[in-house]
């Protein structure tokens, strides 16, 4: 990268440049199975056998299985009803061709996905991701996490996820529109406000939701506002939805700190990414008194010791869709940019990975610990590798998993569905109050559940078990589903 203000980065792993690939297999399935409870090992073996090569999906299933062993001991009825086997098999998986033509008339073919994972608690709910690395494993891991995250919110939503191996970066608005229209031409038959309700994720924001919602409306001849969330305010969207994931993550971190008698006040914070989640996490952390000294994108990171200028970051990354080097160029001498390299090199007390899966590995965790980190919370989905999670926890760092810490986005999506169903529109302040309340309830549920299973302070155990039990109890009540 040669943008003004960028310096070559000395050491540290270079992140994948395709925008969302993650670092590849983060677990050894054989070793993992050996460490599992005897009732759960066969469940994991079956997941590996039936989903060969799907490393991210295996990793996310393992993360849940490792924590629910004590629940299965306390509730043998779950094992008898083969609940874990059922819960790790999606209800429905849709894979489809997405043909479209670019501005020069060249034809492209992408692959679209929607994995409808679990509808025990409500319609399938979860985002769509457009990134070149999207494949069945990525969509399934995201769908699986979504099931428990959504349950944890306490809202009536099941779990699903979808997307395509399409890269919107560098594409014109007209190309993105044609892609979205083609994608929805196939997907629409599987959606409905009572059936399956997508939203955004990496590479899918308000622009893409607009094109897809517009195509859904044309095909079905229905103004079915509740069929997608993350809409614009003038066409059925809800206030705070755009900010909700990042804001929710900041509120969750604030709760984690309060529990330890700490606060964000004056603390240095590093955030990875500079997309929807990262930018709004930065904004709220700074409003709550923290100082965000670094953020990144897939091309590199910036170190801005005085605190990131959020208005400038929004302009560069959200409005202009430019590279992070442009932020450095406009910020002048105050910030330094590093092409490639890892944002986790920057000393901080609080780290918020808000970019993509497996982006914070053991080496980065070690560096964070050496630099004095006290709290890590996941704004992204599964950004921390299992080795890194272990290392952080052994070092006494408070660790908030994405299932809890980034649940504010989908929770506010459920609030958008509620407003759509009642043809109502709430104020910003009222909606943010609801978000704060929901994040506080999730935090309390994690802690209470963890404590009741003898693992106080363990947010991973608390989040997985609390989410799992809500889904499992509903599935038992609904018969053999
Ligand atoms: P966006 O597409 O808005 O932003 C993604 C950001 O991450 C971009 O800045 C992108 O850089 C950066 N990025 C991607 N890969 C890397 C990498 N390897 N290293 C450094 N930066 C990288 O997506 P979102 O902000 O919506 O999503 C981010 C994460 O949050 C994902 O894990 C998503 O699943 C999760 N999430 C999103 C929710 C939402 O409501 N949107 C809700 C809950 C979780 P570049 O600009 O170069 O592409
Ligand atoms: O991972 C997630 O929770 C999201 N991408 C948001 C899903 C939603 O339906 O709002």
């Amino acid at each position: 990268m040669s943008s003004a203000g960028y310096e070559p980065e000395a050491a540290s792993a270079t992140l994948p440049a395709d925008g969302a690939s993650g670092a590849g297999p983060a677990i050894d399935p054989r070793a993992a199975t050996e460490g599992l409870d005897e009732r759960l090992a066969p469940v994991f073996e079956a997941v590996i056998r039936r989903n060969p090569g799907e490393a991210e999906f295996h990793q996310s299933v393992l993360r849940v299985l490792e924590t629910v062993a004590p629940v299965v001991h306390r509730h043998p009825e779950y094992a008898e009803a083969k609940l874990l086997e059922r819960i790790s098999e999606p209800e429905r998986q849709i894979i489809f061709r997405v043909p479209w033509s670019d501005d020069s008339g060249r034809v492209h073919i992408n692959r679209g996905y929607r994995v409808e994972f679990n509808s025990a608690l409500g319609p399938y709910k979860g985002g769509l991701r457009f990134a070149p690395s999207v494949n069945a494993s990525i969509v399934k891991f995201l769908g699986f996490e979504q099931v428990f995250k959504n349950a944890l919110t306490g809202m009536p939503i099941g779990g699903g996820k979808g997307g395509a191996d399409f890269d919107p970066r560098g594409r014109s608005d007209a190309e993105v529109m044609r892609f979205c229209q083609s994608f929805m031409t196939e997907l629409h038959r599987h959606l409905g406000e009572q059936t399956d309700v997508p939203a955004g994720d990496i590479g899918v924001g308000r622009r893409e939701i607009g094109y897809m919602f517009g195509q859904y409306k044309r095909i079905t001849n229905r103004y079915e506002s509740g069929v997608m969330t993350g809409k614009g305010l003038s066409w059925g969207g809800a206030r705070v939805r755009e900010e909700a994931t990042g804001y929710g993550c900041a509120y969750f971190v604030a709760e984690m700190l309060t529990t330890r008698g700490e606060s964000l006040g004056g603390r240095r914070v590093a955030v990875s990414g500079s997309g929807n989640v990262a930018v709004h996490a930065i904004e709220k952390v700074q409003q709550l008194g923290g100082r965000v000294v670094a953020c990144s994108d897939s091309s590199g990171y910036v170190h801005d010791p005085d605190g990131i200028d959020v208005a400038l970051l929004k302009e560069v990354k959200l409005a202009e869709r430019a590279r992070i080097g442009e932020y450095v160029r406009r910020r002048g001498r105050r910030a330094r940019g590093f092409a490639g390299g890892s944002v986790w090199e920057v000393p901080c007390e609080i780290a918020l990975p808000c970019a993509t899966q497996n982006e914070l590995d053991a080496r980065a965790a070690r560096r964070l610990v050496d630099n004095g980190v006290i709290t890590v919370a996941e704004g992204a989905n599964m950004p921390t590798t299992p080795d890194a999670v272990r290392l952080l926890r052994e070092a006494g760092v408070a660790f908030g998993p994405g299932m809890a810490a980034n649940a504010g986005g989908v929770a506010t999506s459920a609030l958008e569905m509620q407003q759509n169903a009642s043809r109502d529109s709430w104020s910003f302040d009222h909606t943010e109050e609801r978000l704060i309340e929901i994040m506080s309830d999730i935090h309390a549920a994690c802690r209470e559940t963890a404590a009741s299973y003898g693992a106080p302070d363990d947010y991973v155990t608390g989040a997985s078990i609390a989410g799992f039990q809500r889904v499992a109890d509903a599935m038992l009540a609904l018969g053999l589903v």
Side-chain angles (χ1 to χ4, degrees):
M1 175 183 305
S2 58
S3 334
Y6 261 67
E7 298 170 14
E9 170 64 6
S12 83
T14 301
L15 290 160
D18 73 355
S21 68
I27 54 164
D28 169 0
R30 191 159 301 158
T33 311
E34 280 164 15
L36 270 179
D37 177 275
E38 60 181 21
R39 290 189 219 204
L40 300 177
V43 178
F44 190 52
E45 279 160 9
V47 167
I48 292 173
R49 198 170 53 246
R50 304 177 87 176
N51 305 275
E54 297 185 355
E56 294 83 1
F57 181 46
H58 301 165
Q59 186 184 335
S60 65
V61 172
L62 184 64
R63 182 145 109 158
V64 168
L65 290 183
E66 281 174 341
T67 53
V68 299
V71 189
V72 177
H73 277 283
R74 204 179 279 182
H75 296 277
E77 68 274 19
Y78 291 158
E80 278 155 28
K82 290 219 185 304
L83 251 166
L84 284 152
E85 287 86 339
R86 282 152 62 194
I87 235 167
S88 52
E89 178 70 15
E91 287 179 20
R92 188 174 300 109
Q93 305 181 53
I94 302 145
I95 301 183
F96 51 98
R97 179 171 69 206
V98 189
W100 60 283
S101 63
D102 65 24
D103 289 345
S104 61
R106 239 181 94 215
V107 170
H108 298 260
I109 312 295
N110 284 99
R111 185 173 284 182
Y113 299 85
R114 186 73 181 165
V115 174
E116 298 181 333
F117 224 110
N118 197 302
S119 60
L121 295 177
Y124 308 108
K125 182 81 197 88
L128 297 170
R129 176 178 291 192
F130 291 167
S133 57
V134 165
N135 58 32
S137 174
I138 300 271
V139 178
K140 272 191 232 170
F141 115 66
L142 289 165
F144 187 72
E145 292 270 314
Q146 199 81 49
V147 172
F148 306 103
K149 183 200 305 189
N150 293 5
L152 202 50
T153 67
M155 321 288 278
I157 41 179
K161 201 85 187 190
D165 56 356
F166 167 73
D167 191 352
R169 286 178 306 175
R171 291 287 171 199
S172 69
D173 280 356
E175 289 175 326
V176 170
M177 181 182 75
R178 284 196 294 277
F179 178 82
C180 289
Q181 290 181 338
S182 181
F183 184 86
M184 186 51 85
T185 299
E186 173 55 34
L187 188 64
H188 84 276
R189 67 190 88 249
H190 305 288
L191 305 183
E193 61 189 0
Q194 311 289 356
T195 308
D196 187 348
V197 181
D201 195 84
I202 291 179
V204 177
R206 191 165 284 179
R207 174 182 63 170
E208 292 75 16
I209 296 288
Y211 295 147
M212 287 189 273
F213 180 67
Q215 184 73 349
Y216 182 88
K217 187 177 77 61
R218 283 168 83 195
I219 296 174
T220 60
N221 193 29
R222 281 164 62 84
Y223 205 105
E224 196 183 327
S225 299
V227 74
M228 294 195 91
T229 59
K231 301 181 294 295
L233 294 185
S234 61
W235 40 280
R239 290 182 182 82
V240 192
R241 174 61 191 90
E242 193 172 6
E243 296 84 358
T245 311
Y247 278 21
C249 182
Y251 285 123
F252 194 83
V253 171
E255 292 261 358
M256 289 175 77
L257 289 164
T258 304
T259 303
R260 293 187 148 202
E262 305 263 1
S263 82
L264 274 167
R267 292 301 199 175
R268 288 171 306 172
V269 183
V271 175
S272 62
S274 49
N276 172 282
V277 178
V279 164
H280 294 108
I282 294 170
E283 183 168 67
K284 188 51 72 179
V285 161
Q286 304 212 136
Q287 285 171 12
L288 295 175
R291 183 157 45 96
V292 181
V293 293
C295 68
S296 63
D297 72 5
S298 57
S299 67
Y301 72 93
V302 299
H303 184 198
D304 193 339
D306 293 341
I308 297 284
D309 177 341
V310 184
L312 177 59
L313 189 67
K314 280 186 179 175
E315 199 176 293
V316 169
K317 289 300 304 181
L318 301 187
E320 297 172 18
R321 300 172 196 272
R323 308 278 72 209
I324 198 92
E326 186 55 24
Y327 172 91
V328 180
R329 200 182 63 75
R330 293 192 207 168
R331 182 84 164 132
R333 290 235 178 105
R334 271 179 286 196
R336 291 173 67 196
F338 298 88
S342 165
V343 69
W344 309 123
E345 299 283 319
V346 178
C348 62
E349 288 81 41
I350 293 149
L352 306 180
C354 294
T356 193
Q357 63 278 351
N358 291 329
E359 48 144 318
L360 198 169
D361 60 11
R363 177 178 161 158
R366 163 59 50 211
R367 175 53 72 105
L368 286 169
V369 170
D370 289 346
N371 282 338
V373 77
I374 56 170
T375 299
V376 175
E378 298 183 323
N381 285 308
M382 208 169 73
T384 319
T385 66
D387 283 353
V389 176
R390 209 168 299 122
L391 201 147
L392 292 169
R393 289 162 76 183
E394 281 168 11
V397 175
F399 177 77
M403 206 179 269
N406 73 36
V410 76
T412 309
S413 278
L415 299 180
E416 184 171 331
M417 292 165 74
Q418 210 173 316
Q419 289 165 76
N420 291 150
S422 59
R423 298 187 181 278
D424 199 357
S425 174
W426 305 345
S427 71
F428 195 96
D429 288 351
H430 173 69
T431 317
E432 192 176 13
E433 277 306 311
R434 291 290 312 270
L435 172 64
I436 295 171
E437 213 171 72
I438 291 166
M439 295 317 293
S440 173
D441 289 349
I442 292 174
H443 182 264
C446 289
R447 291 195 63 83
E448 281 159 22
T449 308
S452 77
Y453 279 89
D457 301 328
D458 181 347
Y459 289 90
V460 175
T461 296
S464 293
I465 294 183
F468 169 77
Q469 279 201 288
R470 286 180 190 167
V471 184
D473 289 342
M475 285 178 76
L476 277 187
L478 297 183
L480 189 49
V481 293

